Amino acid sequence: MRSISKPGRKHSVKILASAGLVIAAAGVAGLGTYGSFTSTTSASTNVGTGTVKLDLANQATRGLDIAVTSMVPADYAQRAVQLTRSATSESFGSVTLKTSLTTDNLLKTGSDGLKLQIDACSAPWVKAAGSNDLTCSGTTTVVLASGAATQTDVALPKALADLDSATRVANLRIQLSLPQTANNDYQGLSNAVNVDFTATQRAGQAQ
């Protein structure tokens, strides 16, 4: 009988010990939920966005609002515009040009069709006395060499530099010409030249 009773006592002790450990662990966890230090502070800052604004004005009484008429081969027409970066605008990252002709005739598609050239002046362009030529009293710089009248997203680094300078102004002379080699096929034609200047924002920077 002794050999039967001893193993039974050992087994019951082990069960009680296990139950006691579980209760003790739960008690420690419960105590931990009451001990914590906290501190909260807050602040705010205002955030505003900038603007990118490019303006165009006709110049020298010979702006793009003046139609070109009665051109013959070797004629050219000069028109002056002034681009301005608004005083409230951020500086620009690029300035590009896009031109288009609205009618599909030889003035647009012909090898002797209209040619376009753009020059910049360090001062506003002035109409010459007794002539439709536009003259520069300062320094003249080629912005776009003579080429096709249709241009797509052409970068204008000179205009960009002028617009991002302290003056915020680019004085441009747009010249349209009909080549000397244009023949009788070009007689009596008309078209409309659309000119778009696009300014994009500067690169991102820390504020």
Side-chain angles (χ1 to χ4, degrees), residues 5-91:
S5 59
K6 286 182 180 179
R9 291 193 186 97
K10 288 181 180 180
H11 185 64
S12 61
V13 171
K14 289 180 180 179
I15 293 174
L16 290 174
S18 298
L21 287 172
V22 172
I23 294 170
V28 171
L31 290 172
T33 60
Y34 295 99
S36 64
F37 295 155
T38 63
S39 176
T40 301
T41 187
S42 63
S44 64
T45 185
N46 293 325
V47 177
T49 59
T51 60
V52 175
K53 192 170 190 307
L54 177 67
D55 297 310
L56 183 151
N58 292 300
Q59 249 188 321
T61 71
R62 302 295 293 176
L64 292 174
D65 55 334
I66 305 298
V68 180
T69 60
S70 304
M71 291 190 81
V72 297
D75 275 357
Y76 58 91
Q78 296 177 338
R79 298 294 183 262
V81 297
Q82 185 179 75
L83 300 180
T84 305
R85 179 166 63 91
S86 171
T88 60
S89 175
E90 295 297 316
S91 58

Coordinates of all heavy atoms in Angstrom, one line a residue, residues 5-91:
S5 N 0.6 4.9 -2.5 CA 0.3 6.2 -2.0 C 1.3 7.2 -2.3 O 1.1 8.4 -2.6 CB 0.0 6.2 -0.5 OG 1.2 5.7 0.1
K6 N 2.6 6.9 -2.4 CA 3.7 7.9 -2.6 C 3.6 8.6 -4.0 O 3.7 9.8 -4.1 CB 5.0 7.2 -2.4 CG 5.3 7.0 -0.9 CD 6.7 6.3 -0.8 CE 7.0 6.1 0.7 NZ 8.3 5.4 0.9
P7 N 3.5 7.9 -5.0 CA 3.4 8.6 -6.3 C 2.2 9.5 -6.4 O 2.3 10.6 -7.0 CB 3.2 7.4 -7.3 CG 3.9 6.2 -6.7 CD 3.5 6.4 -5.2
G8 N 1.1 9.2 -5.8 CA -0.1 10.1 -5.8 C 0.2 11.4 -5.1 O -0.2 12.5 -5.6
R9 N 0.9 11.5 -4.1 CA 1.3 12.7 -3.4 C 2.2 13.6 -4.3 O 2.0 14.8 -4.4 CB 2.0 12.4 -2.1 CG 1.0 11.8 -1.0 CD 1.7 11.8 0.3 NE 1.0 11.1 1.3 CZ 1.2 9.9 1.7 NH1 2.2 9.2 1.1 NH2 0.4 9.3 2.6
K10 N 3.1 13.0 -4.9 CA 4.0 13.8 -5.7 C 3.3 14.4 -6.9 O 3.5 15.6 -7.2 CB 5.1 12.9 -6.3 CG 6.1 12.4 -5.3 CD 7.2 11.6 -5.9 CE 8.2 11.1 -4.9 NZ 9.2 10.3 -5.5
H11 N 2.3 13.8 -7.4 CA 1.5 14.3 -8.6 C 0.7 15.5 -8.2 O 0.7 16.5 -8.9 CB 0.7 13.2 -9.1 CG -0.1 13.6 -10.4 ND1 0.5 13.9 -11.5 CD2 -1.4 13.7 -10.6 CE1 -0.4 14.2 -12.4 NE2 -1.6 14.1 -11.9
S12 N 0.1 15.5 -7.0 CA -0.8 16.6 -6.5 C 0.1 17.8 -6.2 O -0.3 18.9 -6.5 CB -1.6 16.2 -5.3 OG -0.7 15.8 -4.2
V13 N 1.2 17.7 -5.7 CA 2.1 18.8 -5.5 C 2.5 19.5 -6.7 O 2.5 20.7 -6.8 CB 3.4 18.3 -4.7 CG1 4.4 19.5 -4.6 CG2 3.0 17.8 -3.3
K14 N 2.8 18.8 -7.8 CA 3.1 19.4 -9.1 C 2.0 20.2 -9.6 O 2.2 21.3 -10.1 CB 3.5 18.3 -10.0 CG 4.9 17.7 -9.7 CD 5.2 16.6 -10.8 CE 6.5 15.9 -10.5 NZ 6.8 14.9 -11.5
I15 N 0.8 19.8 -9.5 CA -0.4 20.5 -10.0 C -0.5 21.9 -9.2 O -0.7 22.9 -9.8 CB -1.6 19.7 -9.9 CG1 -1.6 18.5 -10.8 CG2 -2.9 20.5 -10.2 CD1 -2.7 17.5 -10.6
L16 N -0.4 21.8 -7.9 CA -0.5 23.0 -7.1 C 0.6 24.1 -7.5 O 0.3 25.3 -7.5 CB -0.5 22.7 -5.7 CG -1.7 21.9 -5.1 CD1 -1.5 21.5 -3.7 CD2 -3.0 22.8 -5.2
A17 N 1.7 23.6 -7.7 CA 2.8 24.5 -8.0 C 2.6 25.2 -9.3 O 2.8 26.3 -9.5 CB 4.1 23.7 -8.0
S18 N 2.1 24.4 -10.3 CA 1.8 25.0 -11.6 C 0.7 26.1 -11.5 O 0.8 27.1 -12.0 CB 1.4 23.9 -12.6 OG 2.4 23.0 -12.8
A19 N -0.3 25.8 -10.7 CA -1.4 26.8 -10.6 C -0.9 28.0 -9.9 O -1.2 29.2 -10.2 CB -2.5 26.2 -9.8
G20 N 0.0 27.9 -8.9 CA 0.6 29.0 -8.2 C 1.4 29.9 -9.1 O 1.4 31.1 -9.0
L21 N 2.2 29.4 -10.1 CA 3.0 30.1 -11.0 C 2.1 31.0 -11.9 O 2.4 32.1 -12.2 CB 3.9 29.2 -11.8 CG 5.0 28.6 -11.1 CD1 5.7 27.5 -11.9 CD2 6.0 29.7 -10.6
V22 N 1.0 30.4 -12.3 CA 0.1 31.1 -13.2 C -0.5 32.3 -12.5 O -0.5 33.4 -13.0 CB -1.0 30.2 -13.7 CG1 -2.1 31.0 -14.5 CG2 -0.4 29.1 -14.6
I23 N -0.9 32.2 -11.3 CA -1.5 33.3 -10.5 C -0.4 34.4 -10.3 O -0.7 35.6 -10.4 CB -2.0 32.7 -9.2 CG1 -3.2 31.8 -9.5 CG2 -2.5 33.9 -8.3 CD1 -3.7 31.0 -8.3
A24 N 0.8 34.0 -10.0 CA 1.8 35.0 -9.7 C 2.2 35.8 -11.0 O 2.3 37.0 -10.9 CB 3.1 34.3 -9.2
A25 N 2.2 35.2 -12.1 CA 2.5 35.9 -13.4 C 1.4 36.9 -13.7 O 1.7 38.0 -14.1 CB 2.7 34.9 -14.5
A26 N 0.2 36.5 -13.5 CA -0.9 37.4 -13.7 C -0.9 38.6 -12.8 O -1.2 39.7 -13.2 CB -2.2 36.7 -13.6
G27 N -0.5 38.4 -11.6 CA -0.4 39.5 -10.6 C 0.7 40.5 -11.0 O 0.5 41.7 -10.9
V28 N 1.8 40.1 -11.6 CA 2.9 41.0 -12.0 C 2.4 41.8 -13.2 O 2.6 43.0 -13.3 CB 4.1 40.2 -12.4 CG1 5.2 41.1 -13.1 CG2 4.8 39.6 -11.2
A29 N 1.7 41.2 -14.1 CA 1.2 41.9 -15.3 C 0.2 43.0 -14.9 O 0.1 44.1 -15.4 CB 0.5 40.9 -16.3
G30 N -0.7 42.7 -14.0 CA -1.6 43.6 -13.5 C -1.0 44.8 -12.8 O -1.4 46.0 -13.0
L31 N 0.0 44.6 -12.1 CA 0.7 45.8 -11.4 C 1.3 46.7 -12.5 O 1.4 47.9 -12.3 CB 1.8 45.2 -10.5 CG 1.3 44.5 -9.2 CD1 2.5 43.9 -8.5 CD2 0.6 45.5 -8.3
G32 N 1.8 46.2 -13.6 CA 2.5 47.0 -14.6 C 1.6 48.0 -15.3 O 2.0 49.1 -15.7
T33 N 0.3 47.8 -15.4 CA -0.7 48.7 -16.0 C -0.9 50.0 -15.2 O -1.4 51.0 -15.8 CB -2.0 48.0 -16.2 OG1 -2.5 47.7 -15.0 CG2 -1.9 46.8 -17.1
Y34 N -0.4 50.1 -14.0 CA -0.6 51.3 -13.2 C 0.6 52.2 -13.1 O 0.5 53.3 -12.6 CB -1.0 50.9 -11.8 CG -2.3 50.1 -11.7 CD1 -2.4 48.7 -11.7 CD2 -3.5 50.8 -11.7 CE1 -3.6 48.1 -11.7 CE2 -4.7 50.2 -11.7 CZ -4.8 48.8 -11.7 OH -6.0 48.1 -11.6
G35 N 1.7 51.8 -13.7 CA 2.9 52.6 -13.6 C 3.3 53.1 -15.0 O 3.8 52.4 -15.8
S36 N 3.0 54.5 -15.3 CA 3.4 55.1 -16.6 C 3.5 56.6 -16.4 O 2.8 57.2 -15.7 CB 2.4 54.8 -17.7 OG 1.2 55.3 -17.4
F37 N 4.5 57.2 -17.0 CA 4.7 58.6 -17.1 C 4.4 59.1 -18.5 O 4.8 58.5 -19.4 CB 6.2 59.0 -16.8 CG 6.6 58.7 -15.4 CD1 8.0 58.5 -15.1 CD2 5.7 58.5 -14.3 CE1 8.4 58.1 -13.8 CE2 6.1 58.2 -13.1 CZ 7.5 58.0 -12.8
T38 N 3.6 60.2 -18.7 CA 3.3 60.7 -20.0 C 3.5 62.2 -20.0 O 3.5 62.9 -19.0 CB 1.8 60.4 -20.3 OG1 1.0 61.1 -19.4 CG2 1.5 59.0 -20.3
S39 N 3.8 62.7 -21.2 CA 3.9 64.1 -21.4 C 3.5 64.4 -22.9 O 3.9 63.7 -23.8 CB 5.4 64.6 -21.2 OG 5.5 65.9 -21.5
T40 N 2.7 65.5 -23.1 CA 2.3 65.8 -24.4 C 2.5 67.3 -24.7 O 2.3 68.1 -23.8 CB 0.8 65.6 -24.6 OG1 0.5 64.2 -24.4 CG2 0.3 65.9 -26.0
T41 N 3.1 67.6 -25.9 CA 3.2 69.0 -26.3 C 2.8 69.1 -27.8 O 2.8 68.1 -28.5 CB 4.6 69.5 -26.1 OG1 4.7 70.9 -26.3 CG2 5.6 68.8 -27.0
S42 N 2.5 70.3 -28.3 CA 2.1 70.5 -29.6 C 2.5 71.8 -30.2 O 2.8 72.8 -29.4 CB 0.6 70.3 -29.8 OG -0.1 71.3 -29.0
A43 N 2.6 71.9 -31.5 CA 2.9 73.2 -32.2 C 2.3 73.1 -33.6 O 1.9 72.1 -34.0 CB 4.4 73.4 -32.3
S44 N 2.3 74.3 -34.3 CA 1.7 74.3 -35.6 C 2.5 75.3 -36.5 O 3.1 76.2 -35.9 CB 0.2 74.6 -35.6 OG 0.1 76.0 -35.1
T45 N 2.5 75.1 -37.8 CA 3.1 76.0 -38.7 C 2.2 76.2 -39.9 O 1.5 75.3 -40.3 CB 4.5 75.5 -39.2 OG1 5.1 76.5 -40.0 CG2 4.3 74.2 -40.0
N46 N 2.1 77.4 -40.4 CA 1.3 77.7 -41.6 C 2.0 77.3 -42.9 O 3.2 77.5 -43.0 CB 0.9 79.2 -41.6 CG 0.0 79.6 -40.5 OD1 -0.8 78.9 -40.1 ND2 0.2 80.8 -40.0
V47 N 1.3 76.8 -43.8 CA 1.9 76.4 -45.1 C 1.1 77.0 -46.2 O -0.1 77.0 -46.3 CB 1.8 74.8 -45.3 CG1 2.3 74.4 -46.7 CG2 2.6 74.1 -44.2
G48 N 1.8 77.7 -47.1 CA 1.2 78.3 -48.3 C 2.0 77.9 -49.6 O 3.1 77.6 -49.5
T49 N 1.3 78.0 -50.7 CA 1.9 77.7 -52.0 C 2.2 78.9 -52.8 O 1.6 80.0 -52.6 CB 1.0 76.8 -52.8 OG1 -0.2 77.5 -53.1 CG2 0.7 75.5 -52.1
G50 N 3.3 78.9 -53.6 CA 3.6 80.0 -54.5 C 2.9 79.9 -55.8 O 2.0 79.1 -56.0
T51 N 3.2 80.9 -56.7 CA 2.5 80.9 -58.0 C 3.6 81.0 -59.1 O 4.7 81.4 -58.8 CB 1.6 82.2 -58.1 OG1 2.5 83.4 -57.9 CG2 0.6 82.2 -57.0
V52 N 3.2 80.6 -60.3 CA 4.0 80.7 -61.4 C 3.2 81.5 -62.5 O 2.2 81.0 -63.0 CB 4.4 79.3 -62.0 CG1 5.2 79.4 -63.3 CG2 5.3 78.5 -61.0
K53 N 3.7 82.7 -62.8 CA 2.8 83.6 -63.6 C 3.7 84.3 -64.6 O 4.6 85.0 -64.3 CB 2.1 84.6 -62.7 CG 1.0 85.3 -63.5 CD 0.1 86.1 -62.5 CE -1.2 86.7 -63.3 NZ -0.9 87.4 -64.5
L54 N 3.4 84.1 -65.9 CA 4.1 84.7 -67.0 C 3.1 85.6 -67.8 O 2.0 85.1 -68.1 CB 4.6 83.6 -67.9 CG 5.3 84.1 -69.2 CD1 6.6 84.9 -68.8 CD2 5.6 83.0 -70.1
D55 N 3.4 86.8 -68.0 CA 2.5 87.8 -68.7 C 3.2 88.2 -70.0 O 4.4 88.2 -70.2 CB 2.3 89.0 -67.9 CG 1.5 88.7 -66.6 OD1 0.5 88.0 -66.6 OD2 2.0 89.1 -65.5
L56 N 2.3 88.5 -71.0 CA 2.8 89.0 -72.3 C 2.1 90.3 -72.7 O 0.9 90.4 -72.5 CB 2.5 87.9 -73.4 CG 3.0 88.2 -74.8 CD1 3.3 86.9 -75.5 CD2 2.0 89.0 -75.6
A57 N 2.9 91.2 -73.1 CA 2.3 92.5 -73.6 C 3.0 92.9 -75.0 O 4.1 92.6 -75.2 CB 2.6 93.6 -72.6
N58 N 2.2 93.4 -75.8 CA 2.7 93.9 -77.1 C 3.5 95.2 -76.9 O 3.3 95.9 -76.0 CB 1.5 94.2 -78.1 CG 0.8 92.9 -78.5 OD1 1.4 92.0 -79.1 ND2 -0.5 92.8 -78.2
Q59 N 4.5 95.4 -77.8 CA 5.5 96.5 -77.6 C 5.6 97.3 -78.9 O 5.4 96.8 -80.0 CB 6.8 95.8 -77.3 CG 7.3 96.1 -75.8 CD 8.7 95.6 -75.7 OE1 9.1 94.6 -76.2 NE2 9.5 96.4 -74.9
A60 N 6.1 98.5 -78.7 CA 6.6 99.4 -79.7 C 5.5 99.6 -80.8 O 5.9 99.9 -82.0 CB 7.8 98.8 -80.4
T61 N 4.3 99.6 -80.5 CA 3.1 99.7 -81.4 C 3.2 98.7 -82.5 O 2.4 98.8 -83.5 CB 3.0 101.1 -82.0 OG1 4.1 101.4 -82.9 CG2 3.1 102.2 -80.9
R62 N 4.1 97.7 -82.4 CA 4.2 96.7 -83.5 C 4.2 95.3 -82.8 O 5.1 94.5 -83.0 CB 5.5 96.9 -84.3 CG 5.6 98.2 -85.0 CD 4.6 98.4 -86.1 NE 4.7 97.5 -87.2 CZ 3.9 97.4 -88.2 NH1 2.8 98.2 -88.2 NH2 4.1 96.6 -89.2
G63 N 3.1 95.0 -82.1 CA 3.0 93.7 -81.4 C 2.3 92.7 -82.3 O 1.9 92.9 -83.4
L64 N 2.1 91.6 -81.7 CA 1.4 90.5 -82.4 C -0.1 90.8 -82.7 O -0.7 90.0 -83.4 CB 1.5 89.2 -81.5 CG 2.9 88.6 -81.4 CD1 2.9 87.4 -80.4 CD2 3.4 88.2 -82.7
D65 N -0.6 91.9 -82.2 CA -2.0 92.2 -82.5 C -2.1 93.0 -83.8 O -3.2 93.2 -84.3 CB -2.5 93.2 -81.4 CG -1.6 94.4 -81.1 OD1 -0.4 94.3 -81.4 OD2 -2.2 95.4 -80.6
I66 N -0.9 93.2 -84.4 CA -0.9 93.9 -85.8 C -0.7 92.8 -86.8 O 0.2 92.1 -86.9 CB 0.3 94.9 -85.9 CG1 0.2 95.9 -84.7 CG2 0.3 95.6 -87.2 CD1 -1.0 96.8 -84.7
A67 N -1.7 92.7 -87.8 CA -1.7 91.7 -88.8 C -0.5 92.0 -89.8 O -0.1 93.2 -90.0 CB -3.0 91.7 -89.5
V68 N -0.1 91.0 -90.4 CA 0.9 91.1 -91.5 C 0.2 90.9 -92.8 O -0.5 90.0 -93.1 CB 2.0 90.0 -91.4 CG1 3.0 90.1 -92.5 CG2 2.7 90.0 -90.0
T69 N 0.4 91.9 -93.7 CA -0.4 91.9 -95.0 C 0.6 92.1 -96.2 O 1.7 92.7 -96.0 CB -1.4 93.0 -95.0 OG1 -0.8 94.3 -94.9 CG2 -2.4 92.8 -93.9
S70 N 0.2 91.6 -97.3 CA 0.8 91.9 -98.6 C 2.3 91.5 -98.7 O 3.1 92.2 -99.3 CB 0.7 93.4 -99.0 OG -0.7 93.8 -99.0
M71 N 2.6 90.4 -98.1 CA 4.0 89.9 -98.2 C 4.3 89.4 -99.6 O 3.5 88.7 -100.2 CB 4.3 88.8 -97.1 CG 4.3 89.3 -95.7 SD 4.9 88.0 -94.6 CE 6.6 88.2 -94.7
V72 N 5.5 89.7 -100.0 CA 6.1 89.1 -101.2 C 7.4 88.5 -100.9 O 7.9 88.8 -99.8 CB 6.2 90.2 -102.4 CG1 4.9 90.8 -102.7 CG2 7.2 91.3 -101.9
P73 N 8.0 87.7 -101.8 CA 9.2 87.0 -101.5 C 10.3 88.0 -101.0 O 10.4 89.1 -101.6 CB 9.6 86.3 -102.8 CG 8.3 86.0 -103.4 CD 7.4 87.2 -103.0
A74 N 11.0 87.7 -100.0 CA 12.1 88.5 -99.4 C 11.6 89.5 -98.3 O 12.3 90.1 -97.7 CB 13.0 89.2 -100.4
D75 N 10.2 89.6 -98.2 CA 9.7 90.5 -97.2 C 9.8 89.8 -95.8 O 9.9 88.6 -95.7 CB 8.2 90.7 -97.4 CG 7.9 91.9 -98.4 OD1 8.9 92.5 -98.8 OD2 6.8 92.1 -98.7
Y76 N 9.8 90.7 -94.8 CA 9.8 90.2 -93.4 C 9.0 91.1 -92.5 O 8.8 92.3 -92.9 CB 11.3 90.1 -92.8 CG 12.0 91.4 -92.8 CD1 11.9 92.3 -91.7 CD2 12.8 91.8 -93.9 CE1 12.6 93.5 -91.8 CE2 13.4 93.0 -94.0 CZ 13.4 93.9 -92.9 OH 14.0 95.1 -92.9
A77 N 8.4 90.6 -91.5 CA 7.6 91.3 -90.6 C 8.1 91.1 -89.2 O 8.3 90.0 -88.7 CB 6.1 90.9 -90.7
Q78 N 8.3 92.2 -88.5 CA 8.9 92.2 -87.1 C 7.8 92.6 -86.1 O 7.1 93.6 -86.3 CB 10.1 93.1 -87.0 CG 11.3 92.6 -87.8 CD 12.5 93.5 -87.7 OE1 12.4 94.7 -87.4 NE2 13.6 93.0 -88.1
R79 N 7.6 91.8 -85.1 CA 6.6 92.1 -84.0 C 7.3 92.0 -82.7 O 8.1 91.0 -82.4 CB 5.4 91.1 -84.1 CG 4.7 91.2 -85.4 CD 4.0 92.6 -85.6 NE 3.1 92.7 -86.8 CZ 3.6 93.2 -87.9 NH1 4.8 93.7 -88.0 NH2 2.7 93.3 -88.9
A80 N 7.1 92.9 -81.8 CA 7.7 92.9 -80.5 C 6.8 92.6 -79.4 O 5.6 93.1 -79.3 CB 8.3 94.3 -80.2
V81 N 7.2 91.7 -78.5 CA 6.4 91.4 -77.3 C 7.4 91.5 -76.1 O 8.6 91.3 -76.2 CB 5.8 90.0 -77.4 CG1 4.8 89.9 -78.5 CG2 6.9 88.9 -77.5
Q82 N 6.8 91.7 -75.0 CA 7.5 91.8 -73.7 C 6.9 90.7 -72.7 O 5.7 90.8 -72.4 CB 7.4 93.2 -73.1 CG 8.2 93.3 -71.8 CD 8.1 94.7 -71.2 OE1 7.1 95.1 -70.6 NE2 9.2 95.5 -71.4
L83 N 7.8 89.8 -72.4 CA 7.4 88.8 -71.4 C 7.8 89.3 -70.0 O 8.9 89.8 -69.8 CB 8.0 87.4 -71.7 CG 7.8 86.8 -73.0 CD1 8.5 85.5 -73.1 CD2 6.3 86.6 -73.2
T84 N 6.9 89.1 -69.0 CA 7.2 89.6 -67.7 C 6.8 88.5 -66.7 O 5.8 87.8 -66.7 CB 6.3 90.8 -67.3 OG1 6.6 91.8 -68.3 CG2 6.7 91.4 -66.0
R85 N 7.8 88.2 -65.7 CA 7.5 87.3 -64.6 C 6.8 88.2 -63.5 O 7.4 89.2 -63.1 CB 8.8 86.7 -64.1 CG 8.5 85.7 -62.9 CD 9.7 84.8 -62.7 NE 10.9 85.6 -62.3 CZ 11.3 85.9 -61.1 NH1 10.5 85.6 -60.0 NH2 12.4 86.6 -60.8
S86 N 5.7 87.8 -63.1 CA 4.9 88.5 -62.1 C 5.7 88.7 -60.8 O 6.5 87.9 -60.4 CB 3.6 87.8 -61.8 OG 3.0 88.4 -60.7
A87 N 5.5 89.9 -60.2 CA 6.2 90.2 -59.0 C 5.9 89.2 -57.9 O 6.7 89.0 -56.9 CB 5.9 91.6 -58.5
T88 N 4.8 88.5 -58.0 CA 4.4 87.5 -57.0 C 4.7 86.1 -57.4 O 4.4 85.2 -56.6 CB 2.9 87.6 -56.7 OG1 2.2 87.3 -57.9 CG2 2.5 89.0 -56.2
S89 N 5.4 86.0 -58.5 CA 5.7 84.6 -59.0 C 7.0 84.1 -58.5 O 8.0 84.9 -58.4 CB 5.7 84.6 -60.6 OG 6.1 83.4 -61.1
E90 N 7.1 82.8 -58.3 CA 8.4 82.2 -58.1 C 9.2 82.2 -59.3 O 8.7 82.4 -60.4 CB 8.2 80.7 -57.6 CG 7.4 80.5 -56.3 CD 8.2 81.1 -55.1 OE1 9.4 80.9 -55.1 OE2 7.5 81.8 -54.3
S91 N 10.5 82.1 -59.2 CA 11.4 82.0 -60.4 C 11.1 80.8 -61.2 O 10.5 79.8 -60.7 CB 12.9 82.0 -59.9 OG 13.1 80.9 -59.1

